[in-house]
Amino acid sequence: MEQNNYGGKNYQIKAESIGHVGDVVYQSPQVTTEELLHKGIQLLNQRAYRQAIDVLSDATKTNPLISDTHYYLAIALLSGEKPRKIDVWTIQSIESELNTAVCGDAKSSKYYMLWAIVKHGYYVMNGFIEKTPTSAQLFSQGQFIETEHAREILDHLDDQKNPYWMHLYKKFGRHN
């Protein structure tokens, strides 16, 4: 593994030899979506949200079909803030990422649960009208969330006034 800096971003990547001229070996870095996703999750766990956004955005561009990249990018875009305190443009970006995740993998409860918490937190708790799918509809799809994913949401989001967040908290507690 070698570490390279691309556009101000440091990634640990595997280098692949593509040829040599004389005694010099030229290497072409191959950054996979999985490596970017793994690095993005590491940055999330360190609460380095800005850097996680950069890495996970690159992951979604590298392979937009991997739903988890969109889900983790949505978490990074929240940046540890309560949805009701986030600006409309960021909420729209978060919703877009979660919609893409759901479209790619409609069976994953974690996407629905996070989206329900975000929608309820931003729209309902700020007195705005929700568009379909509503937070209640999303919540019903996300109720069978696995423990590890529920705790992951709880680790990056603390919104005790949000009933969907409280549901997760009461059922799964905090992971610390």
Side-chain angles (χ1 to χ4, degrees), residues 131-170:
K131 293 180 183 174
T132 305
T134 66
S135 56
Q137 292 167 330
L138 293 165
F139 178 75
S140 71
Q141 294 289 316
Q143 287 191 61
F144 301 106
I145 189 170
E146 295 176 14
T147 302
E148 70 180 283
H149 300 299
R151 289 186 174 156
E152 187 173 65
I153 291 170
L154 293 170
D155 284 348
H156 293 285
L157 180 61
D158 184 355
D159 197 354
Q160 297 177 21
K161 293 182 180 180
N162 186 315
Y164 301 132
W165 185 92
M166 283 303 298
H167 170 82
L168 284 186
Y169 185 79
K170 287 177 182 175

Side-chain angles (χ1 to χ4, degrees), residues 81-146:
E81 295 291 326
K82 293 172 177 52
R84 69 180 170 275
K85 295 183 176 186
I86 295 177
D87 64 78
V88 66
W89 299 279
T90 304
I91 288 296
Q92 289 172 346
S93 294
I94 292 167
E95 284 198 84
S96 175
E97 295 302 332
L98 291 170
N99 184 52
T100 302
V102 165
C103 288
D105 182 2
K107 296 177 188 142
S108 186
S109 296
K110 65 184 177 183
Y111 309 145
Y112 291 102
M113 183 57 74
L114 180 60
W115 199 0
I117 292 168
V118 168
K119 281 197 88 157
H120 187 86
Y122 183 77
Y123 294 100
V124 175
M125 295 178 80
N126 283 323
F128 302 136
I129 296 172
E130 289 183 280
K131 293 180 183 174
T132 305
T134 66
S135 56
Q137 292 167 330
L138 293 165
F139 178 75
S140 71
Q141 294 289 316
Q143 287 191 61
F144 301 106
I145 189 170
E146 295 176 14

